[in-house]
Amino acid sequence: MKKSNQKKVNKLKRISVVPHIIMLLIFVTLIGVMAAAFIEVFLIYVVGDRIDAEVASTQKFANFIESQLPDDGEDFTITLYDWETEDYGILDNETDEFIVTPNREINLDNYVTFGFGEQKAYFDSINGAPTSDMFEDSEIDLSDVFFGALENINFGDFTNPGALNRDMITFHAWLVQPLKDGRYTLYDSSDIILRVKDVFYMVAVITIMGLMVAIPLILYIITLIVSMVNQKKSARLLYYDPITGGRNWLYFENHGEGMVKKTKRNGKKYAMVSLRMERYQSFCACYGAASGEDVIERINAVIKVSLNKRKELFARYSEAEFSLLLLMDSVEKVNSRVSKLKADLIKVLAPHKVDFVAGICEARYGEKIDAIYSNASLARKNIQPNNAEKIAWFDETLREEQLWERYVEENMERALKEGELHVYLQPKYNAESEKLGGAEALIRWISKEKGFIGPGKFIPIFEKNGFITHIDDFMISSVAKLQAQWVKEGRNVVPISVNVSRAHFTQEGLAEHICKLVDDAGAPKELIELELTESAFFEDKDVLINTVDKLKNMGFKVSMDDFGAGYSSLNSLKDLKLDVLKIDADFFRGREENEQRGSLIVSETIQLAKSLGMTTVAEGIESADQVEFLAKNGCDLIQGYYFAKPMPVDEYIERMTKG
Ligand code: C2E
Ligand code: MG
Ligand code: MG
């Protein structure tokens, strides 16, 4: 998958909660700060007022006590007079109401503190009169204080509504006052009394604020969840194949990548299969698009049941082509599974006569899914006609061939333009006199980048992509120019044959085209021979006969190349009035025990050609014995390494001069 597409898919799949969480945090923090500010203001103005009043009375009391205390921090006893009870009391270091202590550190760290300036109120949860030992183990939090206070509400006398005290909440606190420069400390038990109304307002405001936060928060979270669900749904749609109702290639690519990645950890092996129904287009043309779609659905269903749902994967790639990722125990097991799958499909789709082809490639860790799949489909496309099972595995040479083909295609035009393509000439010698009797022009690619490249490596590619016609034109023109020049120079010129690809023969007006090229170069036509490969005779016979006749009438010589190789057709000799028969090199190769039979065929072929008035050329002759045999049997010309390999033009000129 393209990187940009992958990003888009991931974006759609990824439900990004981070911005939402940030938004929520900002929102909650803002409201929290507002609530805290409100509480603070309430405490300062309402509770603070009350504490201030208490602090003032504590200070008055502290002033009095201080005046009665000894200066040295010793224990003491003070006699008090209570104005209300009109009683005398004794104040010593500890009483129930307050504590004055010269030598005891009281720990108030765990108390809920509320402070103004130097004075601090330590809130306590005391219900009833405090005692000094309450300080000992007390750990008090806000709720203790609050609920302690609530329990402590004094509603007064219910029988007397006038005396009802219902709007008071009392919080107990210790006010701490140092005395005598810190030698004594006064802990004054104080009641901070709030009006219920004030507390109610505060609670009401805080509750409203809470609701202000909670309601939009809940709505926001609901919207978020809904959008997450919708996003998930659209992500699912992205992976949906509308015809099969199953997964599509995008899903396969995304999930397959993950499965292949995991193989490094889990030690599993996967095989990628490219399975395709043959002639699907013609099936649709016969039975209609709806039947075509029905077939695809059924193929999908059969594949689905044959796979391990959790550990394997498949999807429709295109038309009736499916990609499968199968667990791979061994090559044999994968082969037999794919064979069985193919058999099941054929059975399910009966009575329609259908067939399937499958290419397989091992899915290796680190490789991209689309790259593995293209290997598998390359293997499928390269299935040879003799492969009855129609299952093939990808191997590296296939990829190398692909890469090479791409290189050739990308560089062929440049090579022709920049003069990397050269004419080589291989002389043909008279069998008896051993004198130069002709030559064949053969192309060579001398690449700046790759060095010397033989035609076997690029001619088949040119034939496939059609560039061969340009090559043929180039060779004909070049040879014609050379011949024209040599005639002009008064050299002993012999005919040179040029290969004409069979792809060229489907072109209309070929004879006229070749004639023009040679005329433009100014070469005599009888010095140009055109070689046609035997297989060209199977294309369009009538066109071929017509072209050959025209060429001959124009004055060219026409030969049949590679006679006897591949599909031999004596029949073509009947219909085409050719000038030259080139006997294929294969007759002179092979096993020794067949040599005699080969020799017999060659001698008879020479006789046959002679009877038909054709000149004979033997190709690929490498030994003196072969030359002797051919001379004895009346072969006219010999082309082969025995005399000379294909050579550059300069070298050929030397040979031509020698004769
Ligand atoms: P071909 O036209 O049959 O050419 C004869 C091939 O046999 C040449 O191979 C030549 O080098 C090789 N040969 C000649 N004598 C011997 C020998 O004694 N031993 C061996 N082992 N080989 C010998 P080359 O040049 O590699 O060309 C291969 C084929 O490529 C040609 O077969 C022809 O079909 C095609 N080809 C070459 N040049 C051209 C061209 O310019 N145009 C077209 N259309 N095809 C070309
Ligand atoms: Mg040839
Ligand atoms: Mg040949």
Side-chain angles (χ1 to χ4, degrees), residues 459-471:
I459 290 284
I461 300 170
F462 290 172
E463 277 176 341
K464 218 161 49 174
N465 64 28
F467 192 65
I468 191 72
T469 56
H470 297 285
I471 295 303

Side-chain angles (χ1 to χ4, degrees), residues 182-331:
R183 269 167 279 149
Y184 299 92
T185 312
L186 168 68
Y187 296 88
D188 186 13
S189 164
S190 312
D191 285 335
I192 312 287
I193 299 164
L194 301 181
R195 285 186 305 175
V196 169
K197 209 165 67 186
D198 290 341
V199 176
F200 173 78
Y201 284 152
M202 187 190 77
V203 171
V205 170
I206 290 173
T207 311
I208 288 166
M209 279 184 147
L211 288 176
M212 273 167 64
V213 181
I215 293 171
L217 204 68
I218 289 166
L219 286 177
Y220 191 80
I221 289 169
I222 290 172
T223 326
L224 192 65
I225 291 169
V226 169
S227 79
M228 278 159 86
V229 169
N230 285 342
Q231 214 169 344
K232 275 233 152 171
K233 269 191 200 154
S234 33
R236 219 173 290 145
L237 262 184
L238 255 180
Y239 288 145
Y240 174 79
D241 182 87
I243 295 180
T244 61
R247 308 293 197 190
N248 63 11
W249 169 250
L250 204 62
Y251 177 89
F252 186 89
E253 217 182 354
N254 255 335
H255 288 72
E257 201 118 338
M259 282 164 70
V260 174
K261 256 189 201 149
K262 275 190 213 151
T263 53
K264 199 180 184 187
R265 264 189 293 123
N266 61 20
K268 283 187 186 127
K269 273 183 169 185
Y270 280 102
M272 174 78 80
V273 182
S274 166
L275 181 75
R276 189 182 168 91
M277 176 177 149
E278 284 190 308
R279 294 181 306 281
Y280 175 72
Q281 288 288 354
S282 81
F283 181 93
C284 291
C286 288
Y287 300 104
S291 302
E293 287 190 4
D294 177 58
V295 161
I296 289 176
E297 269 180 70
R298 285 156 75 188
I299 297 173
N300 192 79
V302 173
I303 299 176
K304 195 172 180 179
V305 293
S306 77
L307 256 60
N308 179 330
K309 260 195 208 84
R310 280 190 306 114
K311 294 180 188 150
E312 296 178 331
L313 193 65
F314 84 103
R316 190 169 77 95
Y317 183 78
S318 68
E319 284 190 340
E321 184 178 323
F322 287 78
S323 49
L324 288 76
L325 205 52
L326 302 183
L327 278 171
M328 180 175 155
D329 294 331
S330 66
V331 169

